[in-house]
Amino acid sequence: MATARTTRRVGLLLTALVSTAAGLLAAPSAQAAGPGQPDWAARAEASYRALQQDLYLGPAGHDLYRESTPAAPGGNPYSYLWEFREATQATVYLRGIPGNADRYRADAADRFTALRQYASTDPAHPGYDSYLPEPLGTGGDLFYDDNAVVGLSYLTQYRAGGGRAMLAGARAAFATDLRGWDEDPAKTCPGGMHWVETGANTIRAANVTGLFAQLSAGLYQITREPQYLDWALRAYHWNRDCLRQSAGLYRNDLNDDGSVDPTLWSYNSGAMIGTATELYRATGDRDYLRQAVEDADGALAYWTVDDRLYDQPAVFDSFLFQDLLLLDSQHHDPRYRAVLSAYAERLWVENRDPATGLFHFQSGNGGAPDPAQPVGTLNQAAAVQLFSLLAWDRRDYVRTS
């Protein structure tokens, strides 16, 4: 999910706008549309219908998705795992809107059934490959960040009443990602998570380390098994010690030669906010809540300047906002939802094609719409996620992952 895959596969949020939105949206626990307020539930469902109409392949296509529409000439017939995972998370979040549990129960079940088709066929390397193995595809490398977010989807579905199979899926994703921890004590800042399972990997990345920490902390919060807390703390503190630039901002990765890629991404901010929140929920230690709030403050201060948020990949912003809402469940701050609302409104007005319901972005998956670019499952799913979360009952934000 890092830079190399961003190119293949958010607004002008001024302080006055955020302040106004905060005053309007600090409100009732249920997020029903009131006079003059957007009907976020209706927007989520409309965006989901467009996703299903133009990008979902249905039973005849093994319940999988296209990567984009129109499809790239000579491209894969199905999406990569990352796109499929985001469509899965979108379905789960849509189902979480009050009144939608039964209506979208079958859709959510279909996503988790179809997900298994990405499972590695190599018994020595269990987990989910980046692309479908035979007979549907040619397989692909196993990315540890992909597996971490798949685990987080299992956790989200478990928290929505998904049962033991969903918890087992999250446990399996954790076990897969354990292989990604770097054990070489001679490297600069020992530890951290590899990005991809290959001998050619030379980086330990903020995204996978933060997402693995969040998955581990979530599993500990549910199971109280010490190994999950141990790994959550190890990964969380590695990111803070080795890649934290300042409050809420984490540099992209540390190379084996000791060099650091200083690129900032909004989802790295989100994963660390989410992990600290989960650690607070699991341990009751208010230091973690303080750290989550500190990182949220820093992230908002940075990402809401100029067009930084708008120019980020929409899917990365979805991670940031779901983690801010998770924090909101423990430390209510109307700014979190206010910034999300303003950002989501901009996407609806500027990036959505009213004729199709599809969202257009630049080639880097964010920014102003470029009609020449294909519409990606990744971005359409991100829009469904964001609108769905705005339609949730605020008391349910404890269930985001």
Side-chain angles (χ1 to χ4, degrees), residues 246-326:
S246 59
L249 301 178
Y250 292 82
R251 295 169 293 176
N252 190 68
D253 63 73
L254 174 62
N255 197 286
D256 287 350
D257 65 9
S259 62
V260 174
D261 178 349
T263 308
L264 302 175
W265 299 106
S266 56
Y267 72 151
N268 289 334
S269 300
M272 293 297 283
I273 294 166
T275 300
T277 304
E278 291 281 33
L279 286 170
Y280 168 67
R281 293 176 66 201
T283 68
D285 187 336
R286 296 192 67 84
D287 276 347
Y288 294 118
L289 181 61
R290 177 187 56 77
Q291 290 168 13
V293 172
E294 180 181 69
D295 269 2
D297 288 345
L300 288 176
Y302 179 83
W303 292 114
T304 57
V305 170
D306 299 323
D307 271 351
R308 285 172 180 165
L309 193 64
Y310 185 60
D311 289 340
Q312 283 284 289
V315 67
F316 286 6
D317 290 336
S318 181
F319 278 88
L320 172 60
F321 285 120
Q322 64 194 13
D323 289 316
L324 285 171
L325 295 179
L326 178 63

Side-chain angles (χ1 to χ4, degrees), residues 63-82:
D63 289 318
L64 296 168
Y65 286 83
R66 296 183 177 92
E67 185 176 1
S68 65
T69 184
N76 293 320
Y78 309 107
S79 79
Y80 288 87
L81 172 64
W82 185 20

Side-chain angles (χ1 to χ4, degrees), residues 138-152:
T138 57
D141 289 330
L142 186 150
F143 287 85
Y144 292 115
D145 56 341
D146 284 353
N147 281 264
V149 294
V150 166
L152 290 172

Side-chain angles (χ1 to χ4, degrees), residues 34 40 191 199 212 224 240 254 281 283 320 337 339 390 398:
W40 294 114
F212 171 69
R224 299 294 167 171
R240 284 183 66 89
L254 174 62
R281 293 176 66 201
T283 68
L320 172 60
R337 192 173 183 276
V339 176
L390 282 165
V398 293

